[in-house]
Short mmCIF file of all heavy atoms in Angstrom, two decimals:
data_model
loop_
_atom_site.label_atom_id
_atom_site.label_comp_id
_atom_site.label_asym_id
_atom_site.label_seq_id
_atom_site.Cartn_x
_atom_site.Cartn_y
_atom_site.Cartn_z
N ARG A 14 -12.93 -15.96 -10.28
CA ARG A 14 -12.38 -15.05 -11.30
C ARG A 14 -11.39 -15.76 -12.21
O ARG A 14 -11.10 -15.26 -13.32
CB ARG A 14 -11.73 -13.84 -10.61
CG ARG A 14 -10.56 -14.21 -9.75
CD ARG A 14 -10.27 -13.14 -8.69
NE ARG A 14 -9.88 -11.87 -9.28
CZ ARG A 14 -10.39 -10.69 -8.91
NH1 ARG A 14 -11.30 -10.63 -7.96
NH2 ARG A 14 -9.98 -9.57 -9.47
N THR A 15 -10.86 -16.91 -11.79
CA THR A 15 -9.90 -17.64 -12.62
C THR A 15 -10.50 -18.03 -13.96
O THR A 15 -9.80 -18.12 -14.98
CB THR A 15 -9.43 -18.92 -11.89
OG1 THR A 15 -9.00 -18.58 -10.58
CG2 THR A 15 -8.30 -19.59 -12.65
N LEU A 16 -11.81 -18.26 -13.99
CA LEU A 16 -12.49 -18.74 -15.19
C LEU A 16 -13.03 -17.60 -16.05
O LEU A 16 -13.66 -17.85 -17.08
CB LEU A 16 -13.63 -19.68 -14.81
CG LEU A 16 -13.18 -21.10 -14.41
CD1 LEU A 16 -14.24 -21.80 -13.58
CD2 LEU A 16 -12.84 -21.91 -15.65
N VAL A 17 -12.82 -16.36 -15.64
CA VAL A 17 -13.39 -15.21 -16.36
C VAL A 17 -12.42 -14.73 -17.44
O VAL A 17 -11.23 -14.52 -17.17
CB VAL A 17 -13.71 -14.06 -15.39
CG1 VAL A 17 -14.21 -12.84 -16.16
CG2 VAL A 17 -14.74 -14.51 -14.36
N ASP A 18 -12.93 -14.52 -18.65
CA ASP A 18 -12.19 -13.83 -19.71
C ASP A 18 -12.64 -12.38 -19.69
O ASP A 18 -13.70 -12.02 -20.20
CB ASP A 18 -12.50 -14.48 -21.07
CG ASP A 18 -11.71 -13.85 -22.21
OD1 ASP A 18 -11.17 -12.73 -22.03
OD2 ASP A 18 -11.65 -14.46 -23.29
N ARG A 19 -11.84 -11.54 -19.06
CA ARG A 19 -12.23 -10.14 -18.85
C ARG A 19 -12.49 -9.41 -20.16
O ARG A 19 -13.32 -8.49 -20.22
CB ARG A 19 -11.14 -9.42 -18.05
CG ARG A 19 -11.56 -8.05 -17.50
CD ARG A 19 -10.39 -7.41 -16.74
NE ARG A 19 -10.79 -6.21 -16.02
CZ ARG A 19 -10.95 -5.02 -16.57
NH1 ARG A 19 -10.76 -4.87 -17.88
NH2 ARG A 19 -11.31 -3.97 -15.85
N SER A 20 -11.83 -9.84 -21.22
CA SER A 20 -11.97 -9.13 -22.50
C SER A 20 -13.37 -9.28 -23.09
O SER A 20 -13.76 -8.52 -23.97
CB SER A 20 -10.92 -9.65 -23.51
OG SER A 20 -11.21 -10.99 -23.89
N LEU A 21 -14.12 -10.29 -22.63
CA LEU A 21 -15.48 -10.50 -23.13
C LEU A 21 -16.52 -9.68 -22.37
O LEU A 21 -17.69 -9.65 -22.76
CB LEU A 21 -15.85 -11.99 -23.05
CG LEU A 21 -15.07 -12.94 -23.95
CD1 LEU A 21 -15.54 -14.38 -23.72
CD2 LEU A 21 -15.21 -12.56 -25.42
N LEU A 22 -16.13 -9.06 -21.28
CA LEU A 22 -17.06 -8.31 -20.45
C LEU A 22 -17.09 -6.83 -20.85
O LEU A 22 -16.06 -6.24 -21.19
CB LEU A 22 -16.68 -8.42 -18.98
CG LEU A 22 -16.71 -9.81 -18.35
CD1 LEU A 22 -16.26 -9.74 -16.89
CD2 LEU A 22 -18.10 -10.42 -18.45
N THR A 23 -18.26 -6.24 -20.79
CA THR A 23 -18.41 -4.80 -21.01
C THR A 23 -18.06 -4.06 -19.72
O THR A 23 -17.98 -4.66 -18.63
CB THR A 23 -19.85 -4.45 -21.41
OG1 THR A 23 -20.72 -4.74 -20.30
CG2 THR A 23 -20.30 -5.26 -22.62
N GLU A 24 -17.90 -2.75 -19.82
CA GLU A 24 -17.62 -1.96 -18.63
C GLU A 24 -18.77 -2.07 -17.62
O GLU A 24 -18.55 -2.11 -16.41
CB GLU A 24 -17.38 -0.50 -19.01
CG GLU A 24 -16.03 -0.26 -19.69
CD GLU A 24 -14.86 -0.74 -18.83
OE1 GLU A 24 -14.83 -0.43 -17.62
OE2 GLU A 24 -13.98 -1.45 -19.37
N SER A 25 -19.99 -2.12 -18.12
CA SER A 25 -21.15 -2.25 -17.24
C SER A 25 -21.13 -3.59 -16.49
O SER A 25 -21.45 -3.65 -15.30
CB SER A 25 -22.44 -2.14 -18.05
OG SER A 25 -23.57 -2.43 -17.25
N GLU A 26 -20.74 -4.65 -17.20
CA GLU A 26 -20.66 -5.97 -16.55
C GLU A 26 -19.53 -6.02 -15.52
O GLU A 26 -19.69 -6.61 -14.44
CB GLU A 26 -20.47 -7.05 -17.61
CG GLU A 26 -21.71 -7.25 -18.47
CD GLU A 26 -21.45 -8.02 -19.76
OE1 GLU A 26 -20.26 -8.14 -20.15
OE2 GLU A 26 -22.42 -8.51 -20.36
N ILE A 27 -18.40 -5.37 -15.82
CA ILE A 27 -17.30 -5.31 -14.85
C ILE A 27 -17.74 -4.51 -13.63
O ILE A 27 -17.42 -4.87 -12.49
CB ILE A 27 -16.05 -4.70 -15.51
CG1 ILE A 27 -15.50 -5.65 -16.58
CG2 ILE A 27 -14.98 -4.40 -14.47
CD1 ILE A 27 -14.41 -5.05 -17.45
N GLU A 28 -18.50 -3.46 -13.87
CA GLU A 28 -19.02 -2.66 -12.75
C GLU A 28 -19.94 -3.51 -11.87
O GLU A 28 -19.88 -3.43 -10.64
CB GLU A 28 -19.78 -1.44 -13.30
CG GLU A 28 -20.29 -0.50 -12.23
CD GLU A 28 -21.03 0.69 -12.82
OE1 GLU A 28 -20.73 1.06 -13.98
OE2 GLU A 28 -21.90 1.25 -12.13
N TRP A 29 -20.80 -4.35 -12.51
CA TRP A 29 -21.67 -5.23 -11.73
C TRP A 29 -20.82 -6.19 -10.90
O TRP A 29 -21.09 -6.40 -9.71
CB TRP A 29 -22.59 -6.04 -12.65
CG TRP A 29 -23.50 -6.96 -11.90
CD1 TRP A 29 -24.76 -6.68 -11.46
CD2 TRP A 29 -23.20 -8.31 -11.45
NE1 TRP A 29 -25.27 -7.77 -10.76
CE2 TRP A 29 -24.34 -8.77 -10.75
CE3 TRP A 29 -22.10 -9.15 -11.57
CZ2 TRP A 29 -24.40 -10.05 -10.17
CZ3 TRP A 29 -22.15 -10.42 -10.99
CH2 TRP A 29 -23.29 -10.85 -10.31
N TRP A 30 -19.81 -6.81 -11.53
CA TRP A 30 -18.94 -7.75 -10.83
C TRP A 30 -18.31 -7.10 -9.60
O TRP A 30 -18.35 -7.65 -8.50
CB TRP A 30 -17.85 -8.25 -11.79
CG TRP A 30 -16.79 -9.09 -11.14
CD1 TRP A 30 -15.75 -8.65 -10.36
CD2 TRP A 30 -16.67 -10.52 -11.19
NE1 TRP A 30 -14.99 -9.71 -9.94
CE2 TRP A 30 -15.53 -10.87 -10.42
CE3 TRP A 30 -17.37 -11.53 -11.83
CZ2 TRP A 30 -15.10 -12.18 -10.28
CZ3 TRP A 30 -16.95 -12.85 -11.68
CH2 TRP A 30 -15.83 -13.16 -10.92
N ASN A 31 -17.75 -5.91 -9.79
CA ASN A 31 -17.06 -5.25 -8.69
C ASN A 31 -18.03 -4.84 -7.59
O ASN A 31 -17.73 -4.97 -6.39
CB ASN A 31 -16.29 -4.03 -9.20
CG ASN A 31 -15.09 -4.43 -10.06
OD1 ASN A 31 -14.57 -5.55 -9.94
ND2 ASN A 31 -14.66 -3.53 -10.93
N SER A 32 -19.20 -4.35 -7.96
CA SER A 32 -20.20 -3.97 -6.97
C SER A 32 -20.69 -5.19 -6.20
O SER A 32 -20.84 -5.15 -4.96
CB SER A 32 -21.38 -3.28 -7.66
OG SER A 32 -22.43 -3.03 -6.74
N TYR A 33 -20.95 -6.29 -6.92
CA TYR A 33 -21.41 -7.52 -6.28
C TYR A 33 -20.36 -8.00 -5.28
O TYR A 33 -20.69 -8.34 -4.13
CB TYR A 33 -21.68 -8.60 -7.34
CG TYR A 33 -22.02 -9.95 -6.74
CD1 TYR A 33 -23.27 -10.19 -6.17
CD2 TYR A 33 -21.08 -10.98 -6.71
CE1 TYR A 33 -23.57 -11.42 -5.60
CE2 TYR A 33 -21.37 -12.21 -6.15
CZ TYR A 33 -22.62 -12.42 -5.59
OH TYR A 33 -22.91 -13.63 -5.01
N HIS A 34 -19.12 -8.05 -5.68
CA HIS A 34 -18.10 -8.59 -4.79
C HIS A 34 -17.78 -7.65 -3.63
O HIS A 34 -17.36 -8.12 -2.55
CB HIS A 34 -16.85 -8.97 -5.59
CG HIS A 34 -17.02 -10.26 -6.32
ND1 HIS A 34 -17.55 -10.33 -7.59
CD2 HIS A 34 -16.78 -11.55 -5.94
CE1 HIS A 34 -17.62 -11.60 -7.97
NE2 HIS A 34 -17.16 -12.36 -6.98
N ALA A 35 -18.01 -6.36 -3.80
CA ALA A 35 -17.90 -5.45 -2.66
C ALA A 35 -18.97 -5.80 -1.61
O ALA A 35 -18.70 -5.78 -0.40
CB ALA A 35 -18.05 -4.01 -3.12
N GLN A 36 -20.18 -6.12 -2.09
CA GLN A 36 -21.24 -6.54 -1.17
C GLN A 36 -20.90 -7.87 -0.52
O GLN A 36 -21.16 -8.08 0.68
CB GLN A 36 -22.57 -6.66 -1.91
CG GLN A 36 -23.18 -5.33 -2.34
CD GLN A 36 -24.47 -5.55 -3.12
OE1 GLN A 36 -24.44 -5.82 -4.33
NE2 GLN A 36 -25.59 -5.46 -2.42
N VAL A 37 -20.34 -8.79 -1.31
CA VAL A 37 -19.92 -10.09 -0.75
C VAL A 37 -18.96 -9.86 0.41
O VAL A 37 -19.11 -10.44 1.51
CB VAL A 37 -19.26 -10.97 -1.83
CG1 VAL A 37 -18.64 -12.22 -1.19
CG2 VAL A 37 -20.26 -11.37 -2.90
N ARG A 38 -17.97 -9.02 0.18
CA ARG A 38 -16.97 -8.75 1.22
C ARG A 38 -17.62 -8.13 2.45
O ARG A 38 -17.34 -8.53 3.59
CB ARG A 38 -15.89 -7.81 0.66
CG ARG A 38 -14.77 -7.51 1.66
CD ARG A 38 -13.77 -6.51 1.10
NE ARG A 38 -14.43 -5.24 0.81
CZ ARG A 38 -14.59 -4.74 -0.41
NH1 ARG A 38 -14.16 -5.41 -1.48
NH2 ARG A 38 -15.18 -3.57 -0.59
N ASP A 39 -18.50 -7.15 2.25
CA ASP A 39 -19.13 -6.47 3.39
C ASP A 39 -20.00 -7.43 4.22
O ASP A 39 -20.08 -7.29 5.44
CB ASP A 39 -20.00 -5.31 2.89
CG ASP A 39 -19.17 -4.17 2.32
OD1 ASP A 39 -17.94 -4.15 2.55
OD2 ASP A 39 -19.75 -3.31 1.62
N ILE A 40 -20.65 -8.38 3.56
CA ILE A 40 -21.56 -9.30 4.26
C ILE A 40 -20.80 -10.44 4.92
O ILE A 40 -21.12 -10.84 6.04
CB ILE A 40 -22.61 -9.85 3.27
CG1 ILE A 40 -23.60 -8.71 2.89
CG2 ILE A 40 -23.37 -11.04 3.85
CD1 ILE A 40 -24.52 -9.06 1.76
N LEU A 41 -19.77 -10.95 4.25
CA LEU A 41 -19.08 -12.14 4.76
C LEU A 41 -17.94 -11.81 5.72
O LEU A 41 -17.70 -12.57 6.68
CB LEU A 41 -18.54 -12.97 3.60
CG LEU A 41 -19.56 -13.53 2.60
CD1 LEU A 41 -18.87 -14.51 1.66
CD2 LEU A 41 -20.73 -14.18 3.30
N ALA A 42 -17.23 -10.72 5.49
CA ALA A 42 -16.03 -10.44 6.28
C ALA A 42 -16.28 -10.43 7.79
O ALA A 42 -15.48 -11.00 8.56
CB ALA A 42 -15.40 -9.12 5.83
N PRO A 43 -17.39 -9.82 8.28
CA PRO A 43 -17.60 -9.82 9.74
C PRO A 43 -17.82 -11.22 10.32
O PRO A 43 -17.72 -11.39 11.55
CB PRO A 43 -18.86 -8.95 9.90
CG PRO A 43 -18.92 -8.11 8.67
CD PRO A 43 -18.39 -8.98 7.58
N GLN A 44 -18.12 -12.20 9.47
CA GLN A 44 -18.38 -13.55 9.97
C GLN A 44 -17.17 -14.47 9.89
O GLN A 44 -17.23 -15.62 10.35
CB GLN A 44 -19.51 -14.19 9.15
CG GLN A 44 -20.81 -13.40 9.10
CD GLN A 44 -21.84 -14.12 8.25
OE1 GLN A 44 -22.35 -15.18 8.63
NE2 GLN A 44 -22.14 -13.57 7.08
N LEU A 45 -16.06 -13.97 9.31
CA LEU A 45 -14.90 -14.81 9.04
C LEU A 45 -13.67 -14.27 9.73
O LEU A 45 -13.62 -13.12 10.17
CB LEU A 45 -14.66 -14.90 7.53
CG LEU A 45 -15.81 -15.44 6.68
CD1 LEU A 45 -15.49 -15.29 5.19
CD2 LEU A 45 -16.11 -16.90 7.02
N GLU A 46 -12.64 -15.11 9.81
CA GLU A 46 -11.38 -14.70 10.37
C GLU A 46 -10.26 -15.53 9.75
O GLU A 46 -10.51 -16.53 9.07
CB GLU A 46 -11.38 -14.86 11.89
CG GLU A 46 -11.66 -16.27 12.36
CD GLU A 46 -11.80 -16.37 13.86
OE1 GLU A 46 -12.01 -15.34 14.53
OE2 GLU A 46 -11.69 -17.50 14.38
N GLY A 47 -9.05 -15.11 9.97
CA GLY A 47 -7.88 -15.89 9.56
C GLY A 47 -7.78 -16.08 8.06
O GLY A 47 -8.08 -15.17 7.27
N ASP A 48 -7.37 -17.29 7.67
CA ASP A 48 -7.12 -17.57 6.26
C ASP A 48 -8.39 -17.48 5.41
O ASP A 48 -8.33 -17.06 4.24
CB ASP A 48 -6.51 -18.97 6.11
CG ASP A 48 -5.08 -19.04 6.66
OD1 ASP A 48 -4.48 -17.97 6.86
OD2 ASP A 48 -4.60 -20.17 6.87
N ALA A 49 -9.54 -17.87 5.97
CA ALA A 49 -10.79 -17.80 5.21
C ALA A 49 -11.14 -16.35 4.90
O ALA A 49 -11.59 -16.03 3.79
CB ALA A 49 -11.92 -18.47 5.97
N LEU A 50 -10.93 -15.47 5.87
CA LEU A 50 -11.19 -14.04 5.63
C LEU A 50 -10.23 -13.50 4.57
O LEU A 50 -10.65 -12.77 3.66
CB LEU A 50 -11.02 -13.27 6.94
CG LEU A 50 -11.09 -11.75 6.84
CD1 LEU A 50 -12.42 -11.29 6.24
CD2 LEU A 50 -10.87 -11.11 8.21
N ALA A 51 -8.97 -13.86 4.67
CA ALA A 51 -7.99 -13.40 3.68
C ALA A 51 -8.36 -13.90 2.28
O ALA A 51 -8.22 -13.15 1.29
CB ALA A 51 -6.59 -13.87 4.07
N TRP A 52 -8.85 -15.13 2.20
CA TRP A 52 -9.25 -15.68 0.90
C TRP A 52 -10.42 -14.89 0.32
O TRP A 52 -10.41 -14.55 -0.89
CB TRP A 52 -9.64 -17.15 1.06
CG TRP A 52 -10.08 -17.80 -0.23
CD1 TRP A 52 -9.28 -18.38 -1.17
CD2 TRP A 52 -11.42 -17.90 -0.71
NE1 TRP A 52 -10.03 -18.84 -2.22
CE2 TRP A 52 -11.36 -18.56 -1.97
CE3 TRP A 52 -12.66 -17.51 -0.23
CZ2 TRP A 52 -12.49 -18.83 -2.72
CZ3 TRP A 52 -13.79 -17.77 -0.98
CH2 TRP A 52 -13.71 -18.43 -2.21
N VAL A 53 -11.41 -14.58 1.13
CA VAL A 53 -12.55 -13.80 0.65
C VAL A 53 -12.11 -12.41 0.21
O VAL A 53 -12.55 -11.91 -0.86
CB VAL A 53 -13.65 -13.71 1.74
CG1 VAL A 53 -14.66 -12.61 1.41
CG2 VAL A 53 -14.38 -15.05 1.87
N GLU A 54 -11.26 -11.77 0.97
CA GLU A 54 -10.81 -10.42 0.59
C GLU A 54 -10.05 -10.45 -0.74
O GLU A 54 -10.22 -9.55 -1.58
CB GLU A 54 -9.94 -9.84 1.70
CG GLU A 54 -10.77 -9.48 2.93
CD GLU A 54 -9.93 -8.94 4.08
OE1 GLU A 54 -8.71 -9.26 4.11
OE2 GLU A 54 -10.48 -8.21 4.92
N GLU A 55 -9.26 -11.48 -0.96
CA GLU A 55 -8.55 -11.61 -2.24
C GLU A 55 -9.52 -11.88 -3.38
O GLU A 55 -9.41 -11.30 -4.47
CB GLU A 55 -7.52 -12.74 -2.13
CG GLU A 55 -6.68 -12.95 -3.39
CD GLU A 55 -5.75 -11.79 -3.69
OE1 GLU A 55 -5.37 -11.06 -2.74
OE2 GLU A 55 -5.43 -11.58 -4.88
N ALA A 56 -10.51 -12.76 -3.12
CA ALA A 56 -11.48 -13.12 -4.16
C ALA A 56 -12.40 -11.95 -4.51
O ALA A 56 -12.98 -11.94 -5.60
CB ALA A 56 -12.32 -14.30 -3.69
N CYS A 57 -12.51 -10.97 -3.62
CA CYS A 57 -13.43 -9.86 -3.84
C CYS A 57 -12.75 -8.59 -4.33
O CYS A 57 -13.39 -7.53 -4.44
CB CYS A 57 -14.19 -9.56 -2.55
SG CYS A 57 -15.36 -10.86 -2.08
N LYS A 58 -11.47 -8.68 -4.65
CA LYS A 58 -10.79 -7.51 -5.21
C LYS A 58 -11.41 -7.15 -6.57
O LYS A 58 -11.92 -8.01 -7.27
CB LYS A 58 -9.30 -7.80 -5.39
CG LYS A 58 -8.51 -7.80 -4.08
CD LYS A 58 -7.03 -8.04 -4.34
CE LYS A 58 -6.24 -7.94 -3.05
NZ LYS A 58 -4.79 -8.19 -3.29
#
């Protein structure tokens, strides 16, 4: 997300981003723990 210029995205594209990252969190979180899990949760906000 550091490289994203949010102002260039439409609401539909932001919705895709958020939906995608919610799936990322749901799939990856059960496989991770500790700092790596915290990093994924932060990256998927």
Side-chain angles (χ1 to χ4, degrees):
R14 63 202 297 133
T15 309
L16 283 159
V17 176
D18 183 343
R19 192 181 189 281
S20 69
L21 294 178
L22 298 178
T23 66
E24 287 304 312
S25 173
E26 290 164 344
I27 292 170
E28 183 180 334
W29 180 92
W30 173 284
N31 291 336
S32 174
Y33 174 75
H34 283 88
Q36 289 178 278
V37 171
R38 183 184 61 247
D39 291 346
I40 290 170
L41 299 189
Q44 304 179 70
L45 302 172
E46 57 186 18
D48 291 344
L50 173 59
W52 179 86
V53 164
E54 289 178 336
E55 182 67 26
C57 291
K58 285 182 176 179

